[in-house]
Amino acid sequence: MSYLSFKKEVKRGDIRPVYFMYGTQTFLMEDLLIDIIRETSLSQDDPNVISYSLQDTLLDIAVEEAETFPFFGGKKIVIIKDFSLVTAQKQDTKLEHDLNRLQLYIEHPSPETVMILLAPYEKLDERKKITKELKKRTALVECAPFDEKTLSLWLDGQAKTKGFEFTVDGKDSLLERVGPQLLLLASEVEKLALYVNGDRVVDREVVELLVARSLEQDVFALIDFAIKKQLDKALIIYHDLLKQREEPLKLLALIARQLRIYYQVKEMTKRSYSQKDMALQLKLHPYVVKLASQQINRFEEKQLLLLLEAAADTDYAIKSGKMEKTLAVELLLMKLSSLHARR
């Protein structure tokens, strides 16, 4: 079940007895937990909302809690965090967990309890019996990074709950500045809602007024200005970042990373990879691949290789003491700007 499907299901009041949430997006897990707690008419500090971590609590204790009746009737929610028993990673605890007890429970769950298992991990061990049983017998919710379409729908939903809506350019501007990081996006949506305060629309002008670019987006803009031969604007961003105490070596590493992404996306585009497949292969968010795809036509393949080599040479020159780091990165930007870029 996807995140958005889950939201719709819970909103209808359809609460399952056991949920198994996995994936790297812990922000989504917390958001879904709030939905379940709200829909069951409980609050996070209610005694019938009990949370355990398998790092310091036996699984038996959590299952036993799920089997007992809630205080004063109604519903009970039992949250089991750090459920690493579905992964291949080595356990950081000496506790011996009884998986048979859990398996028996999910076959016949208590009607008064909602059990939620949280596995904030990228990969599950599909060979394990417990993994197969949980996928078979529970409501499975994947909390993975959103693709471009889901991210757009999620932002629309966040805005709607705050009483406003984005224009197309407003939403694009927010994503350009913040990137696909959900926690930061949610925080910025909150800020935008407070600013518009009753106005229904947030456009690019409002976003640019209130939302600062992330460091990665500053580097993206820096490269963008350089390849457009607007070196003065690129250097303004660079020196602004230095005033914010950003290390030139760190900025160099981010510039090299961005150029490497351009090269990889250009190569994979030649081989007819879809943007989705590129994101999977390169382990990047689809939105990052989309932005790179919009830039790669400015470069010849040889130019990107030369720039990557120049970035490596700059790194060596700094670390070997041959060049002062601030000046070295500035010279790299000049070299980037001096190359012919197709328009």
Side-chain angles (χ1 to χ4, degrees), residues 21 26 40 127 151 263:
M21 302 182 189
T26 53
T40 50
R127 300 167 299 175
L151 182 60
Y263 179 75

Side-chain angles (χ1 to χ4, degrees), residues 1-7 22-29 31-32 141-158 175 179-183 185-186 275-276 279-280 284-290:
M1 188 191 319
S2 70
Y3 166 85
L4 293 178
S5 298
F6 173 93
K7 298 281 280 188
Y22 74 96
T24 56
Q25 299 298 304
T26 53
F27 172 80
L28 295 183
M29 292 183 184
D31 186 44
L32 299 177
V141 187
E142 184 179 9
C143 297
F146 290 153
D147 58 24
E148 183 186 348
K149 180 180 179 181
T150 306
L151 182 60
S152 178
L153 290 171
W154 178 81
L155 268 177
D156 288 337
Q158 292 288 306
L175 287 169
Q181 302 175 72
L182 298 182
L183 183 59
L185 285 171
Q275 289 188 14
K276 181 179 180 181
L280 289 171
L284 296 171
H285 193 280
Y287 191 75
V288 175
V289 173
K290 177 188 176 184

Side-chain angles (χ1 to χ4, degrees), residues 98-117:
D98 186 358
L99 284 170
N100 289 329
R101 182 84 183 271
L102 175 64
Q103 186 171 330
L104 289 172
Y105 179 84
I106 63 176
E107 289 175 2
H108 304 286
S110 170
E112 292 84 17
T113 300
V114 179
M115 177 184 280
I116 306 169
L117 303 161

